[in-house]
Amino acid sequence: MMQVEIQSTNPGPGLEQHENLSKTPNHSSQQLPISTNPKTPKKLTLIPLIFLIYFEVAGGPFGEEPAVQAAGPLFALLGFLVFPFIWSVPEALITAELSTAFPGNGGFVIWADRAFGPFFGSLMGSWKFFSGVINIASFPVLCIDYLKKIIHPLESGWPRHIAILISTLVLSFVNYTGLTIVGWAAVLLGIVSLSPFILMSLIAIPKIQPHRWLSLGQKGVKRDWNLFFNTLFWNLNFWDSASTLAGEVDKPQKTYPRALLVAVIFTCSAYLVPLFAVTGAVSVDQSAWESGFHAEAAGMIAGKWLKYWIEVGAVLSAIGLFEAQLSSCAYQLVGMADLAILPKFFSSRSKWFNTPWLGILLSSFIAIGMSYMTFTDIISSANFLYSLGMLLEFASFIWLRRKLPEIKRPYRVPLRIPGLVIMCLIPSAFLIVVMVIATKIVFLVSGLMTVGAIGWYFLMKFCRKKKIFRYSNVEVEER
């Protein structure tokens, strides 16, 4: 194994975060990669970070409807009640511990690199980056799917393709203007997009018939477990995505655990409350529960005015989701450049806004290309690649506990290694289920991207050896 260690000659902001680490044995071989750009202030505080995590994961109950279509109201409600405990909470706990122990841009890439070396750091980065940009592609598509109910030419053909292209480019430019703007915009978008759901749920209370919650679906309708599990997974994953922004967070050791705790409660409530309200108050054909049905249900419960409000909220939510995910992908590339996994120019920042312009540009172009897949294939491909990355992340988490027990962990999951293994085995089993039930096109896309990721690592290794590109000033040690 080879270990990549950053030897910075300019300490830059954020070095004070690692003062405690300097007191641990062999600190020189454990120092974290951090940005050395003196113009990189820590700007993200608690409230914007909560909403950025919320938009990394959910952005509201938009997109949860297919769970009812796939398996009926009871299984959908149970899924959104149980799944957070077997998946969201363990992932959030792991993210809290590792983000506070290794608070640098790159997040999960740093964790895999510290645990197993640069090859696995590069592989983790590739899997998570591709899953992220594929996920980004789904948000303009989801946004247009809601708008087409009002603007019918957006249903198909060139008007739809042009709308997706323009919306992607405009939203990418907003991201370019800075993380502070994106963070506080997420707060505003979150409040506005959730307001109609709160109102709909309150109006629905007198109309709720609890026996509808116990329905297993219509007779003769076959359950689609592939759609069901992918819907749950897509709506409740990516808790670790905001870890790639750790280098931009104010006091990450304290801020991250608090933000994650609030975000988990906030996100799960945002899914469950409207789902209980609509499944209890509305009786329709099960096939009607496709993406966007919440807007139709709002029209049945309160009138067209609330339907239109939710459709506008869906557009705002898609914007927030896009901005949060794009920020994560762009700053992940900065972290990978700090680790010398990517050439140094990937950490380049805009002179005007101090944002990683190349990461934003690259992520946006890949997302545009992926947006021409069907929505189901988009989320299934994102889930498959993300599952591969999460299996590696769980392994990294456990191995780092054993390998680097002396590293200061401001937040620590209160379990010993056997307990941690059990905690990770349950969500890992679910990951394997998600991967096994994938379609052929998902296997093909994910397989090609994995082969490309492995090839990319050896290409970068060759380029570093031949000095074709400039890399961060690193020192390589045998271990």
Side-chain angles (χ1 to χ4, degrees):
M1 283 287 187
M2 307 295 286
Q3 178 176 4
V4 178
E5 175 195 344
I6 299 296
Q7 297 290 338
S8 173
T9 56
N10 180 4
L15 188 58
E16 69 278 2
Q17 296 174 355
H18 310 293
E19 286 177 352
N20 291 326
L21 296 183
S22 64
K23 300 174 184 178
T24 62
N26 300 321
H27 169 64
S28 63
S29 64
Q30 299 163 358
Q31 185 174 346
L32 300 179
I34 57 175
S35 174
T36 58
N37 185 348
K39 297 181 180 180
T40 308
K42 301 291 186 295
K43 293 182 178 179
L44 275 179
T45 52
L46 180 63
I47 300 301
L49 182 59
I50 289 171
F51 278 87
L52 275 176
I53 294 172
Y54 167 69
F55 275 112
E56 294 277 9
V57 177
F62 309 99
E64 71 175 348
E65 303 98 329
V68 180
Q69 183 187 64
L74 180 60
F75 280 112
L77 290 168
L78 288 175
F80 280 99
L81 276 169
V82 175
F83 193 65
F85 291 98
I86 64 173
W87 173 256
S88 300
V89 172
E91 187 183 5
L93 290 174
I94 289 169
T95 301
E97 176 170 320
L98 294 180
S99 293
T100 56
F102 304 95
N105 287 332
F108 36 74
V109 181
I110 298 174
W111 312 338
D113 178 83
R114 287 293 175 268
F116 302 118
F119 172 77
F120 287 97
S122 177
L123 193 59
M124 170 73 89
S126 297
W127 279 337
K128 289 295 188 78
F129 177 74
F130 283 131
S131 69
V133 293
I134 291 173
N135 209 36
I136 290 170
S138 69
F139 302 131
V141 173
L142 189 62
C143 181
I144 299 302
D145 281 345
Y146 272 90
L147 285 177
K148 74 182 182 183
K149 299 176 185 296
I150 304 172
I151 308 171
H152 296 297
L154 297 180
E155 291 180 357
S156 61
W158 65 265
R160 178 180 177 83
H161 296 319
I162 291 177
I164 291 173
L165 175 63
I166 292 175
S167 60
T168 302
L169 293 175
V170 170
L171 294 177
S172 298
F173 179 77
V174 172
N175 200 275
Y176 173 69
T177 60
L179 199 55
T180 302
I181 293 174
V182 171
W184 285 107
V187 176
L188 178 62
L189 291 170
I191 293 171
V192 174
S193 64
L194 277 177
S195 297
F197 286 100
I198 296 172
L199 194 56
M200 179 183 70
S201 300
L202 291 173
I203 296 172
I205 291 174
K207 303 179 181 181
I208 290 175
Q209 298 181 30
H211 71 87
R212 291 174 176 164
W213 294 334
L214 303 178
S215 172
L216 295 174
Q218 291 175 268
K219 291 183 179 180
V221 177
K222 186 178 180 181
R223 294 191 182 95
D224 186 346
W225 295 116
N226 188 0
L227 177 61
F228 177 75
F229 285 118
N230 270 297
T231 300
L232 287 178
F233 192 49
W234 184 72
N235 279 282
L236 286 166
N237 66 6
F238 288 94
W239 290 99
D240 59 344
S241 292
S243 67
T244 63
L245 309 174
E248 312 301 312
V249 174
D250 182 44
K251 300 177 182 177
Q253 289 93 339
K254 294 181 179 180
T255 305
Y256 251 100
R258 294 174 184 174
L260 279 164
L261 173 63
V262 175
V264 168
I265 298 170
F266 184 34
T267 299
C268 294
S269 300
Y271 279 126
L272 282 168
V273 172
L275 192 59
F276 270 105
V278 177
T279 54
V282 174
S283 179
V284 295
D285 191 281
Q286 189 174 331
S287 63
W289 280 85
E290 59 183 9
S291 291
F293 177 72
H294 274 318
E296 300 295 330
M300 298 175 192
I301 293 169
K304 289 186 176 180
W305 63 273
L306 190 56
K307 172 187 175 182
Y308 294 144
W309 190 357
I310 284 185
E311 286 170 346
V312 171
V315 175
L316 297 178
S317 175
I319 291 171
L321 287 160
F322 182 96
E323 298 297 349
Q325 284 283 320
L326 182 56
S327 295
S328 175
C329 290
Y331 281 95
Q332 178 190 327
L333 296 184
V334 173
M336 292 176 74
D338 287 342
L339 282 166
I341 292 173
L342 292 176
K344 194 172 184 178
F345 59 78
F346 276 93
S347 63
S348 300
R349 294 182 183 246
S350 163
K351 294 180 180 178
W352 294 282
F353 302 109
N354 197 42
T355 46
W357 65 270
L358 183 58
I360 293 171
L361 188 66
L362 181 62
S363 301
S364 300
F365 279 138
I366 296 175
I368 289 171
M370 299 302 298
S371 65
Y372 294 101
M373 296 170 62
T374 66
F375 184 76
T376 301
D377 284 338
I378 287 174
I379 64 172
S380 297
S381 298
N383 287 348
F384 193 98
L385 290 167
Y386 189 79
S387 297
L388 291 171
M390 283 308 305
L391 290 172
L392 178 55
E393 185 172 312
F394 290 147
S396 300
F397 170 64
I398 293 169
W399 191 245
L400 282 169
R401 270 289 191 95
R402 180 174 181 177
K403 177 184 176 184
L404 300 175
E406 74 280 1
I407 286 286
K408 181 175 175 60
R409 291 169 167 84
Y411 173 80
R412 186 184 183 94
V413 179
L415 293 172
R416 295 180 181 273
I417 289 180
L420 298 178
V421 171
I422 294 171
M423 185 184 81
C424 292
L425 278 178
I426 297 173
S428 295
F430 182 80
L431 292 173
I432 294 171
V433 170
V434 169
M435 294 166 67
V436 168
I437 64 177
T439 61
K440 291 181 180 179
I441 185 66
V442 172
F443 276 115
L444 178 62
V445 170
S446 303
L448 289 174
M449 288 187 171
T450 299
V451 171
I454 294 171
W456 178 262
Y457 168 76
F458 287 105
L459 175 62
M460 289 296 98
K461 187 175 182 180
F462 174 80
C463 292
R464 187 162 50 244
K465 183 178 180 180
K466 298 295 183 181
K467 298 182 179 179
I468 296 174
F469 300 116
R470 290 183 60 199
Y471 289 81
S472 292
N473 185 24
V474 298
E475 191 175 285
V476 180
E477 296 180 354
E478 294 285 348
R479 65 179 176 194

